[in-house]
């Protein structure tokens, strides 16, 4: 008795597993937690969203807020953030393209001595990001992978490294220009490949426009650890500069000075700072002037930073009596907020009913408010002594 030849493919398929791993995604629900459907009329038109925010904006925005296996509540603001992220990446690539020819096979590791501390820092952050993305993808945690890339591209590369590069390039004779451009090209090449599964259209377009590889990005190799000797460098100076930049922005905001307005600073430094670092810091804090001082400046608003005491010279910048009045009201508001928060933390009944994460959030808020109060009181004291 012979078997039916037509049944052979079916018999073969029994021993062939088409998918060894299957991922079950959650549902996208409306803001009230209801399942989206045409009958309820609570489902947005994807084509309209793509027209408004772009296909990558929609795709990246949704992936980023979709925890593994959990339903998510649709929020169009997240789609908008996806679009803004793609725009941020595009603008960073455009800035690099304006600086001159791009190296397809850039390798900043060839000359470690030529790298600035900021270049070494971004390369280290890139490697940590790559490892985190690989780990998240292996666990099918696409949301975590997308968020990791978002944080690195937006905060580390665009908000930090690109801004430092702009400061470096202000000098036409910058000794670090070549190594910084090499680092930019190397990091951009890997960013685009890591982002391609999440944002295929913008990464393909930038890959071709920047000529970072031959052909389509979809055929480019996935970034791997290919360095024989990873960088081990002290990033304390880099973190100190960035923390000082943040402190300077907070100080000018508390004095109600627009971020676009250039203002004079003085720095009483705790350590030796090179002229190059001081120049970069001056650009990052949008200073009209930044000079070192050997003595504390009385009657001058100050903020403590890892680099030292940073003073903002307010002469001619603000109306001191009016600013004193505004700060006094702001201090009263912060004191009231502290009292209300402390009242909740001191009530056993409230604490017994509140979730632990909520109580932790109240404690964190109270600490932040106390820090803000201390800063505002210091500024008020400096301005009051000035009158």
């Amino acid at each position: 008795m012979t078997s039916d030849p037509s049944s052979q493919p079916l018999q073969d398929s029994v021993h062939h597993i088409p998918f060894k791993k299957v991922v079950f995604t959650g549902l996208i629900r409306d803001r009230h937690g209801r399942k989206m459907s045409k009958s309820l009329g609570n489902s947005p038109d994807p084509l309209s969203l793509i027209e408004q925010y772009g296909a990558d904006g929609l795709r990246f925005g949704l992936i980023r807020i979709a925890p593994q296996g959990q339903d998510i509540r649709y929020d169009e603001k997240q789609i908008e953030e996806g679009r803004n992220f793609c725009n941020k990446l595009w603008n960073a690539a455009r800035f690099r393209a304006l600086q001159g020819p791009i190296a397809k096979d850039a390798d900043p590791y060839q000359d470690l001595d030529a790298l600035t501390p900021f270049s070494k820092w971004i390369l280290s952050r890139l490697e940590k990001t790559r490892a985190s993305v690989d780990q998240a993808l292996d666990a099918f945690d696409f949301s975590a992978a997308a968020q990791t890339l978002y944080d690195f591209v937006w905060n580390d590369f665009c908000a930090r490294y690109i801004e430092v590069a702009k400061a470096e390039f202000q000098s036409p004779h910058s000794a670090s220009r070549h190594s910084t451009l090499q680092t930019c090209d190397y990091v951009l090449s890997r960013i685009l490949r890591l982002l391609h599964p999440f944002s295929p259209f913008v990464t393909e377009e930038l890959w071709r426009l920047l000529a970072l590889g031959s052909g389509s990005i979809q055929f480019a190799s996935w970034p791997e650890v290919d360095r024989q000797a990873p960088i081990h460098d002290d990033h304390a100076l880099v973190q100190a500069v960035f923390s000082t930049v943040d402190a300077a922005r907070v100080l000018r905001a508390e004095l109600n000075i627009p971020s676009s307005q250039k203002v004079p600073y003085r720095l009483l430094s705790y350590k030796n700072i090179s002229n190059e670092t001081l120049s970069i810091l001056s650009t990052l804090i949008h200073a009209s002037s930044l000079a070192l001082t050997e003595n504390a400046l009385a009657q001058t608003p100050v903020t403590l930073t890892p680099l030292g005491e940073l003073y903002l010279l307010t002469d001619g910048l603000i109306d001191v009596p009016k600013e004193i009045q505004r700060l006094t009201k702001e201090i009263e508001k912060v004191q009231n907020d502290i009292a209300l928060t402390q009242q909740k933390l001191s009530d056993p009944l409230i604490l017994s009913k509140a979730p632990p994460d909520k109580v932790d959030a109240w404690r964190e808020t109270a600490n932040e408010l106390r820090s803000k109060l201390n800063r505002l009181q210091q500024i008020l004291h400096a301005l009051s002594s000035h009158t």
Side-chain angles (χ1 to χ4, degrees):
M1 181 176 179
T2 59
S3 61
D4 183 359
S6 63
S7 66
Q8 190 63 34
L10 179 60
Q11 294 173 6
D12 292 342
S13 67
V14 174
H15 304 287
H16 175 69
I17 302 174
F19 304 104
K20 293 184 178 180
K21 297 179 181 179
V22 178
V23 177
F24 291 90
T25 64
L27 296 175
I28 302 177
R29 300 181 179 273
D30 67 13
R31 62 179 181 176
H32 302 294
R34 299 175 302 178
K35 184 178 178 181
M36 289 186 173
S37 68
K38 289 184 178 180
S39 60
L40 289 176
N42 62 346
S43 179
D45 180 8
L47 294 179
S48 296
L49 291 174
I50 290 173
E51 183 178 357
Q52 185 174 0
Y53 300 111
D56 281 344
L58 174 60
R59 182 184 179 114
F60 190 83
L62 287 178
I63 292 175
R64 186 166 155 251
I65 61 170
Q68 187 179 31
Q70 299 181 29
D71 291 355
I72 63 173
R73 297 203 176 189
Y74 174 75
D75 183 358
E76 193 164 322
K77 182 174 177 57
Q78 298 296 336
I79 313 303
E80 182 181 353
E81 288 188 3
R83 178 200 62 189
N84 294 344
F85 174 78
C86 293
N87 288 342
K88 192 83 167 178
L89 175 63
W90 185 275
N91 288 334
R94 182 175 178 272
F95 163 76
R96 172 58 191 95
L98 292 173
Q99 307 309 313
I102 294 172
K104 182 173 68 172
D105 300 315
D107 187 359
Y109 291 90
Q110 288 184 343
D111 188 0
L112 295 180
D113 293 336
L115 297 178
T116 67
F118 299 97
S119 289
K120 293 180 180 180
W121 170 80
I122 196 65
L123 289 171
S124 295
R125 289 291 304 127
L126 172 65
E127 174 53 28
K128 290 178 181 178
T129 299
R130 183 208 58 76
S132 296
V133 169
D134 280 352
Q135 184 177 8
L137 291 179
D138 287 342
F140 302 104
D141 195 347
F142 306 122
S143 173
Q147 184 61 48
T148 298
L149 287 168
Y150 180 94
D151 291 338
F152 175 75
V153 174
W154 190 288
N155 298 322
D156 294 337
F157 187 63
C158 294
R160 297 298 198 191
Y161 189 69
I162 291 295
E163 292 305 310
V164 168
K166 290 178 182 178
E168 289 181 1
F169 296 164
Q170 285 189 352
S171 171
H173 306 293
S174 171
S176 60
R177 181 180 180 87
H178 176 71
S179 65
T180 298
L181 290 177
Q182 284 272 314
T183 303
C184 267
D185 297 345
Y186 181 88
V187 175
L188 264 175
S189 172
R190 278 145 184 78
I191 284 175
L192 294 181
R193 282 179 275 167
L194 290 169
L195 272 174
H196 185 63
F198 305 93
S199 307
F201 299 104
V202 68
T203 51
E204 176 72 31
E205 185 73 8
L206 288 174
W207 184 263
R208 291 180 180 273
L209 288 175
L210 299 177
L212 286 169
S214 301
S216 172
I217 190 176
Q218 64 182 313
F219 301 117
S221 61
W222 185 256
E224 296 179 353
V225 182
D226 57 358
R227 302 267 55 89
Q228 294 181 354
I231 286 180
H232 294 287
D233 194 53
D234 181 10
H235 301 310
L237 173 63
V238 174
Q239 296 295 352
V241 170
F242 292 152
S243 295
T244 301
V245 172
D246 293 338
R249 289 171 179 168
V250 170
L251 179 60
R252 72 156 65 213
E254 289 173 343
L255 286 166
N256 212 24
I257 299 174
S259 59
S260 59
Q261 182 177 353
K262 288 193 173 185
V263 293
Y265 291 94
R266 297 294 179 268
L267 178 65
L268 176 58
S269 180
Y270 304 146
K271 56 185 70 177
N272 293 327
I273 301 178
S274 67
N275 290 333
E276 182 181 9
T277 300
L278 198 66
S279 176
I280 290 173
L281 177 62
S282 177
T283 301
L284 294 178
I285 63 178
H286 209 56
S288 58
S289 65
L290 172 62
L292 296 175
T293 177
E294 296 181 354
N295 302 304
L297 304 181
Q299 305 173 355
T300 305
V302 60
T303 183
L304 300 180
T305 78
L307 291 180
E309 299 173 13
L310 185 66
Y311 295 88
L312 197 160
L313 310 184
T314 57
D315 288 347
L317 290 175
I318 61 176
D319 184 331
V320 175
K322 185 177 179 179
E323 188 60 23
I324 289 176
Q325 186 178 19
R326 187 190 70 81
L327 283 171
T328 301
K329 291 182 179 179
E330 180 67 15
I331 287 174
E332 291 176 356
K333 180 181 180 303
V334 173
Q335 288 174 330
N336 289 335
D337 291 340
I338 291 175
L340 291 173
T341 306
Q342 195 60 45
Q343 185 178 0
K344 287 186 286 188
L345 290 172
S346 303
D347 190 323
L349 182 60
I350 293 178
L351 293 177
S352 64
K353 294 182 178 180
D357 57 341
K358 190 71 173 177
V359 176
D360 290 340
W362 289 339
R363 290 196 178 100
E364 185 177 350
T365 298
N367 290 333
E368 290 174 353
L369 287 171
R370 292 190 191 98
S371 297
K372 183 176 182 179
L373 177 63
N374 184 52
R375 292 196 306 271
L376 292 175
Q377 287 175 333
Q378 288 179 343
I379 295 173
L380 179 62
H381 176 73
L383 292 180
S384 298
S385 302
H386 192 70
T387 57

